[in-house]
Amino acid sequence: DTGVSQDPRHKITKRGQNVTFRCDPISEHNRLYWYRQTLGQGPEFLTYFQNEAQLEKSRLLSDRFSAERPKGSFSTLEIQRTEQGDSAMYLCASSPDGGNQPQHFGDGTRLSIL
Amino acid sequence: KQEVTQIPAALSVPEGENLVLNCSFTDSAIYNLQWFRQDPGKGLTSLLLIQSSQREQTSGRLNASLDKSSGRSTLYIAASQPGDSATYLCAVRTAAAGNKLTFGGGTRVLVKP
């Protein structure tokens, strides 16, 4: 059990550029979640996958955001045409199947928009 | 819509004192409540998970209680140490909200030597 892994740890980019983040969940965890956290706030839910199926999406996930989990293992989160307001920590979590399993979080990707 | 509140937002105590962290939520129809620790610039470390049918959970110096009917949970940390300095977040999984967690804003704790 190597934990949830996220890459990169920190991304700095200019406004208007596209960025992509990767998350590798704990192996055998079928459920994968993305959250966004701004400074001084708690994380906010973005989207949830059960295996390769994206089952829930927050209204926070505008049409500039897209997430995939093509083979039910790792996931990517892409932000197109980045804006200043996208600056945040993007956190990935995973959990086993079952309604009452804890979610385990990675160390996050910090996005800074210049 | 579920709302989770943590008061106070920040707390400073001398080493050795017991810590009491509060979490309140508006919708009592929850599946579970999870307490996390977050160090600066890092991700979240799960501390305790309490199922909706449980009243409390314990792990070492940590004890979390749950009163679902009043929408409250309390995290107790006994005999605090400087290494306990961090932000503590509570999150609930609500029946009406699918699989997502709804988080409070956190309590930032400083334990002074």
Side-chain angles (χ1 to χ4, degrees), chain A residues 17-19 36 46-47 54 57-68 77-83 86:
Chain A
Q17 297 295 304
N18 299 343
V19 293
R36 181 172 70 185
L46 292 178
T47 190
Q54 188 175 19
K57 288 170 63 172
S58 163
R59 281 172 289 180
L60 291 175
L61 215 64
S62 75
D63 56 5
R64 295 184 299 107
F65 288 70
S66 62
E68 294 182 343
L77 177 68
E78 181 184 15
I79 308 174
Q80 296 182 326
R81 304 181 304 279
T82 53
E83 302 174 354
D86 297 332

Side-chain angles (χ1 to χ4, degrees), chain A residues 30-70:
Chain A
N30 292 333
R31 299 184 177 188
L32 186 147
Y33 314 80
W34 285 98
Y35 292 83
R36 181 172 70 185
Q37 185 180 28
T38 52
L39 209 57
Q41 305 295 317
E44 294 177 291
F45 171 78
L46 292 178
T47 190
Y48 154 66
F49 289 85
Q50 172 80 36
N51 298 310
E52 66 276 9
Q54 188 175 19
L55 297 184
E56 292 181 50
K57 288 170 63 172
S58 163
R59 281 172 289 180
L60 291 175
L61 215 64
S62 75
D63 56 5
R64 295 184 299 107
F65 288 70
S66 62
E68 294 182 343
R69 195 182 182 198

Side-chain angles (χ1 to χ4, degrees), chain B residues 6-43:
Chain B
Q6 293 183 250
I7 295 173
L11 186 60
S12 179
V13 298
E15 181 177 3
E17 194 166 296
N18 295 334
L19 281 164
V20 180
L21 305 178
N22 298 306
C23 172
S24 62
F25 47 94
T26 55
D27 183 351
S28 61
I30 64 171
Y31 285 130
N32 56 51
L33 183 145
Q34 204 167 346
W35 281 95
F36 295 90
R37 169 186 171 135
Q38 186 173 34
D39 292 296
K42 297 285 192 177

Side-chain angles (χ1 to χ4, degrees), chain B:
Chain B
K1 178 191 167 190
Q2 179 73 271
E3 292 182 3
V4 181
T5 304
Q6 293 183 250
I7 295 173
L11 186 60
S12 179
V13 298
E15 181 177 3
E17 194 166 296
N18 295 334
L19 281 164
V20 180
L21 305 178
N22 298 306
C23 172
S24 62
F25 47 94
T26 55
D27 183 351
S28 61
I30 64 171
Y31 285 130
N32 56 51
L33 183 145
Q34 204 167 346
W35 281 95
F36 295 90
R37 169 186 171 135
Q38 186 173 34
D39 292 296
K42 297 285 192 177
L44 278 62
T45 300
S46 181
L47 298 174
L48 290 167
L49 179 142
I50 312 178
Q51 309 291 0
S52 62
S53 59
Q54 296 176 315
R55 297 284 293 182
E56 65 178 321
Q57 273 285 357
T58 298
S59 176
R61 293 186 295 114
L62 306 181
N63 175 276
S65 66
L66 175 64
D67 184 341
K68 211 172 63 161
S69 60
S70 67
R72 292 181 194 172
S73 177
T74 303
L75 178 66
Y76 301 90
I77 303 177
S80 62
Q81 304 167 359
D84 294 329
S85 298
T87 296
Y88 292 84
L89 295 147
C90 70
V92 296
R93 184 169 170 237
T94 310
N99 291 282
K100 71 178 185 185
L101 293 177
T102 303
F103 282 84
T107 295
R108 190 171 67 253
V109 171
L110 176 64
V111 180
K112 294 184 282 188

